[in-house]
Amino acid sequence: MHSITLWTSLLFLINGYFAMEPIILIHGGAGDIPQNRVKGKLDGVKVAVIAGHKILAQGGSALDAVEAAVLSMEDDENFNAGYGSVLNLRGEVAMEASIMRGEDLNAGAVTLVKDFPHPISIAYKVLTDSPHSFIGGEGAKLFALDKGFTTVPPESLISENAKNALEEFLQHGELGRTEIGMKNEGGVGTVGAVAIDKYGHIAVATSTGGMSGKAVGRIGDTPLIGSGTYADDNIGGVSTTGHGESILKYCLAHSIIKLMENGTDANTATKEAVTGMTNRLKNTAGAITLSKNGDVGIYFSSKRMSWAYIKSNKIFYGIEHNQILEDEYRPS
Ligand code: ASP
């Protein structure tokens, strides 16, 4: 055997031996989710986590995997992202999304997006194709058009549930509490995904319609790097959901990362930071976390949060406190 072939085979073996097990962990939003929305959310997170895992299983990147999982939930009206996003006070959809790459801390985010079905893909383009990290409103639209995205009529993103949720909010809502819009038929949630690929690279994506009855122009935590999303290959990745104004004041995603950087494990860090935010600011949230070693952290202080992850040929998922359901999974 030529020595070059020998070396190539050896490198291949070493790479195979040390390759990480790819993992994807997602959430479908925290809040006071009513019982009649539970099944749709559990079904939706299972479909989305498989969409993301397929990419990882084929050797794809963590970034592509988190985008695929979030796209799946943006298309699913069970979630408050893309189609089915909640409405602002003027009855409009105004979406926000962010995505971050842990290898080089590069990030892309968009806000106040009104007429594109997949804000996460525009955020991804900001990450790869823009000198900036965060673009909003008209600028985000111009950027997206320039990169070849096509608009849809804004009304086509509005679901019946979202209209009902706004109605309910206008009659009984208390501004500033995410859960208010979630007590009724329109109870939906922000979506997020954290993945680690076989090369050990971490990526995180989060996408939302915000909160029902929000002011025109309101920007929440989801597109803010450090609040809604954070990824660092040297530490781990976090996506958050819940009361946006509280999450952004507390920099929730980065608070969890800091705890892990100082030696706290993923699960404890997630629980400590979410509880800390809720104690300090009296509003609820949830977060999902992966450490650089693939340890999982899931915690929410709200009534419910749907989540799912795939690890070791199993899908784990749940929505209630202390609930871990499990299905066999064989990547096809
Ligand atoms: N964090 C989102 C926001 O306030 C809402 C949510 O996660 O449900 O915009």
Side-chain angles (χ1 to χ4, degrees):
M1 200 190 269
H2 292 300
S3 61
I4 193 128
T5 328
L6 189 71
W7 270 115
T8 317
S9 319
L10 210 64
L11 280 175
F12 188 75
L13 274 175
I14 292 173
N15 184 36
Y17 185 75
F18 288 109
M20 289 278 308
E21 181 197 351
I23 303 166
I24 179 155
L25 164 65
I26 69 170
H27 70 76
D32 201 352
I33 298 160
Q35 185 60 39
N36 63 357
R37 303 289 290 184
V38 165
K39 184 172 181 317
K41 280 181 177 294
L42 286 180
D43 291 347
V45 287
K46 283 199 270 179
V47 169
V49 81
I50 290 172
H53 193 268
K54 278 198 170 135
I55 288 176
L56 295 176
Q58 287 160 6
S61 70
L63 261 185
D64 286 346
V66 292
E67 184 201 24
V70 166
L71 270 178
S72 167
M73 293 186 280
E74 284 181 339
D75 282 339
D76 183 341
E77 76 157 311
N78 284 298
F79 303 103
N80 174 18
Y83 172 65
S85 285
V86 297
L87 307 176
N88 67 16
L89 276 177
R90 218 154 52 185
E92 300 164 330
V93 159
M95 301 166 291
E96 332 188 76
S98 60
I99 187 165
M100 186 165 184
R101 178 164 69 195
E103 191 182 353
D104 55 4
L105 307 189
N106 206 354
V110 288
T111 188
L112 305 176
V113 172
K114 294 183 173 169
D115 40 15
F116 295 93
H118 299 127
I120 198 62
S121 300
I122 308 175
Y124 195 162
K125 260 293 189 241
V126 172
L127 185 157
T128 54
D129 285 39
S130 167
H132 307 301
S133 300
F134 191 7
I135 309 183
E138 194 195 341
K141 181 170 180 171
L142 290 175
F143 173 81
L145 289 173
D146 186 50
K147 298 298 169 198
F149 291 90
T150 353
T151 53
V152 294
E155 319 79 70
S156 68
L157 298 171
I158 299 180
S159 69
E160 276 309 304
N161 276 322
K163 281 190 208 162
N164 295 339
L166 181 61
E167 267 313 302
E168 179 91 356
F169 172 83
L170 292 173
Q171 279 163 27
H172 312 288
E174 175 195 333
L175 198 66
R177 287 184 51 82
T178 318
E179 291 91 337
I180 293 298
M182 295 189 151
K183 275 193 174 134
N184 53 33
E185 288 291 299
V188 287
T190 292
V191 305
V194 185
I196 184 161
D197 59 31
K198 69 173 188 178
Y199 306 104
H201 295 315
I202 296 170
V204 179
T206 315
S207 180
T208 191
M211 55 164 76
S212 255
K214 64 184 180 179
V216 173
R218 178 262 190 186
I219 297 170
D221 57 309
T222 302
L224 301 181
I225 298 303
S227 295
T229 293
Y230 207 82
D232 184 344
D233 276 11
N234 297 334
I235 305 167
V238 181
S239 171
T240 69
T241 169
H243 187 255
E245 281 67 12
S246 304
I247 295 173
L248 74 82
K249 287 172 198 162
Y250 208 75
C251 299
L252 184 58
H254 203 256
S255 297
I256 296 171
I257 291 285
K258 275 283 158 207
L259 286 169
M260 288 202 291
E261 189 177 29
N262 295 331
T264 311
D265 66 88
N267 211 27
T268 312
T270 309
K271 186 172 178 180
E272 266 183 25
V274 170
T275 311
M277 187 213 89
T278 294
N279 290 344
R280 185 79 199 269
L281 295 167
K282 313 291 174 231
N283 274 303
T284 63
I288 55 168
T289 305
L290 272 183
S291 77
K292 66 174 181 188
N293 303 320
D295 300 320
V296 168
I298 301 168
Y299 189 76
F300 49 100
S301 56
S302 53
K303 183 175 164 194
R304 292 185 165 118
M305 180 180 80
S306 58
W307 58 268
Y309 69 93
I310 293 183
K311 194 176 179 179
S312 313
N313 293 325
K314 286 200 171 94
I315 303 187
F316 300 91
Y317 58 102
I319 193 164
E320 312 287 349
H321 284 277
N322 302 316
Q323 176 191 42
I324 304 179
L325 303 165
E326 192 179 313
D327 288 351
E328 285 301 318
Y329 173 67
R330 296 267 159 222
S332 51

